[in-house]
Amino acid sequence: MKRVGDSRMKRFYTMKHWLSFLLLSVFSSAAVAADEPLQELHEEIGAILGGIAVQDEGRIKPLDTYARSKLLLFQEKSTHEGASAMAWFAELLVNPEQAYQRKIFMVRTDEVVQSLHLEVNEDDHTYSFYEIGQGLNEAGDLLQKLSEKPAEIRTRAEKQIIELYYKVNDYLAISRSLSGLVSDVAITDAGFAEALGVEAGESITYFDVILKKDVIGEKLMAWSKMTPEEREASGTQNLTEFAVLLNTRMGDMAYESLRIIPPVEFADTGDWKAPWTLLDGAPLSDWNMSKLVQLKDVLKLATANDLEGLVTAVEKYKEGVVLDKSIGSELAYNKADFFYHSLYLYILSCLLLWFSFIGWSRILYLLSSVSFGIAVVLNVAGITMRCLIMGRPPITNLYESIIFVGAVICLSAIVLEYYWPRKISLFVGGLAGVILTWVGLRYASEGDTMGMLVAVLDSNFWLSTHVVTINLGYGAAFLSGLVAHIYLAMGCVGSRAKDNLKDVFSVSLSLSFVALFFTVIGTILGGIWADQSWGRFWGWDPKENGALLIALWLLIVLHGRLAGYLKPLEYAAGLALTNITVALAWFGVNLLQVGLHNYGFDDGVARGLYIYCGAEVLIVAVTYCVARYKLGPKKSSAAA
């Protein structure tokens, strides 16, 4: 999740934030039942609104992408109970009272649940905005202490509490970001309503208040100087409620997260504005005035569930906004969900292949191959479409590197299966596809995966050469390690797998040479890039050391085999451990939070990485010992 300074924590204690949570506590109690599913109408409203452009995290994106990234951030999924992110977002805008009751926030740690006095939810570990907000309210002293505690010595649970605060604050900011354009400022006083040209009892927007600020200011000033008798005589007795409500609405002015008002020109590079930024009482340009009026109409029609009118209003709002790149392709990419669908197909492929060993071997093998092939096509199509949308090479962040390496391994598996149709390559490819696609999708929950690049990475030439080459090395090394695992597993079967052991060994040996080639070339290219960017070829940076570690480990096991020091079984065990070096170079160095290659990744993967490395060592040790026992020294040597 994107971090901001801990100074933001202090804002929690301002009267504005306490008042916001207090008001939410009042009207949330009258909301509709929290477990009511999102209405189909919200889906239709969301589909219409999804094509509106917004500026977020340094780039222009469709509102659909904004909603997806936010929902992923809150609940680690891009859908909610089968409904789309835009359906949730539409409800948050037009019916926030219900949205505040919806269980959106994922809290898995028991210590966090206890600290915030939440009811334990064993079913899905989700809680509503109202529940979390109330818990944070009650834990005010704890938040105060955490805000003063240095980030580096906070416990995992403490970090999650602060992260939860950021999420709740973000959720509230989104829900109130357009409140200045919603008709909820009631005019109950007849005399005042007449002065404003509206019916008594009618509600107006804060935007309307700004447009009529001179009349309102004059009336309020005169009213404040009247005696009760004079107020009764003038017919303006009920302005207290209006003044309180107006003051409350002004409290929303801090919520500027939704930058949806484009500049009149240079929309791709200019500074977009949030509605509340423009509602500060300063004179409005004709362009900003027109966009605010149009956006107010959009909200009014969405709230009234007038879908036909909403389509027209949205199209009118888009008029005059000239972008270099159409956001339609990103909308299509979002709807396609390439990587989610490829994950399901990889899983299906592995299951079909597994059952093919039991019966219907030929038919199930064919179906597994088709499923795997479609998954790879979707994987590659998703990567290609991302490149076209962003105008960049396929790898610019950790999420993209995981998806890219997964695609490389799966494509390699297809080639191996074509020349060596033994089902093993297909199984390894499917397994790698499942693991890497699932890990990649977990990283997607940290925010926009198409965000702006760190300045030093903004070079399409080096992204196309060094970054692609080193990731090809990661992929080949990981694949060679998986094949080595297969060799050890087959060795556990004993003499029954003897005929296939030589083939598997040959494949693993060839792949290790390919991995070494790409890793070394990628490391050299990285050194040249570093020399151009930082003035030195090598600086013993953790990321540089990680790439060197893979190359050295591959050199050790290859030299040991070619020199005859390592028998096939020992070589396979050493090569299988290459996956640990890949994981450490790929993910582990980011946990150090130091070095020129550290781009702000947090330590959320530490626990998973430790478990993975420990499991790898245990699996290799057990399979090696069993294979050694089954094959014996002579048989294992003959297997090569």
Side-chain angles (χ1 to χ4, degrees), residues 339-360:
F339 303 123
Y340 276 104
H341 292 141
S342 66
L343 174 61
Y344 300 143
L345 287 169
Y346 283 135
I347 294 173
L348 178 61
S349 175
C350 289
L351 291 174
L352 290 172
L353 194 63
W354 180 263
F355 285 119
S356 72
F357 291 104
I358 301 175
W360 294 355

Side-chain angles (χ1 to χ4, degrees), residues 134-199:
Q134 195 172 42
L136 289 171
N137 199 342
E138 294 175 3
D141 292 339
L142 174 62
L143 282 170
Q144 179 67 51
K145 291 177 182 177
L146 294 183
S147 69
E148 297 169 353
K149 190 175 183 179
E152 59 272 12
I153 64 172
R154 291 171 186 157
T155 67
R156 183 166 176 264
E158 289 171 343
K159 290 177 181 178
Q160 289 180 1
I161 290 172
I162 291 181
E163 183 176 289
L164 200 55
Y165 161 76
Y166 288 143
K167 289 180 179 179
V168 167
N169 196 58
D170 197 14
Y171 195 91
L172 180 61
I174 295 170
S175 71
R176 309 308 299 166
S177 58
L178 301 182
S179 60
L181 302 176
V182 176
S183 298
D184 59 357
V185 181
I187 308 296
T188 57
D189 189 280
F192 192 48
E194 183 180 357
L196 295 179
V198 298
E199 295 291 332

Side-chain angles (χ1 to χ4, degrees), residues 568-581:
L569 204 56
E570 285 73 26
Y571 172 77
L575 189 60
L577 293 175
T578 302
N579 288 350
I580 293 180
T581 66

Side-chain angles (χ1 to χ4, degrees), residues 76-89:
E76 301 176 7
K77 293 188 294 183
S78 61
T79 59
H80 178 71
E81 298 179 353
S84 70
M86 275 309 302
W88 157 76
F89 194 81

Side-chain angles (χ1 to χ4, degrees), residues 46-87:
I48 298 170
L49 299 178
I52 295 176
V54 297
Q55 188 180 61
D56 180 57
E57 296 186 1
R59 75 180 186 94
I60 310 304
K61 63 181 72 169
L63 195 56
D64 181 81
T65 298
Y66 180 86
R68 283 169 176 262
S69 63
K70 290 300 181 182
L71 191 56
L72 273 168
L73 197 64
F74 298 141
Q75 67 160 22
E76 301 176 7
K77 293 188 294 183
S78 61
T79 59
H80 178 71
E81 298 179 353
S84 70
M86 275 309 302

Side-chain angles (χ1 to χ4, degrees), residues 246-267:
L246 185 61
N247 187 59
T248 302
R249 184 59 60 246
M250 289 174 67
D252 288 347
M253 293 187 72
Y255 302 127
E256 303 174 328
S257 59
L258 192 60
R259 299 169 67 183
I260 199 171
I261 308 293
V264 67
E265 55 183 356
F266 307 117

Side-chain angles (χ1 to χ4, degrees), residues 383-384 386-387 392-397 400-401 404 463-464 468:
I383 293 172
T384 303
R386 289 177 65 90
C387 293
R392 298 196 308 234
I395 310 168
T396 60
N397 53 49
E400 289 181 333
S401 74
F404 178 81
L463 287 172
S464 303
V468 170

Side-chain angles (χ1 to χ4, degrees), residues 470 474 519 522-523 538 542-552 585 589:
I470 199 69
Y474 288 161
T519 303
T523 303
W538 193 267
K543 198 71 171 178
E544 296 167 346
N545 295 340
L548 180 63
L549 177 64
I550 298 175
L552 289 176
V589 295

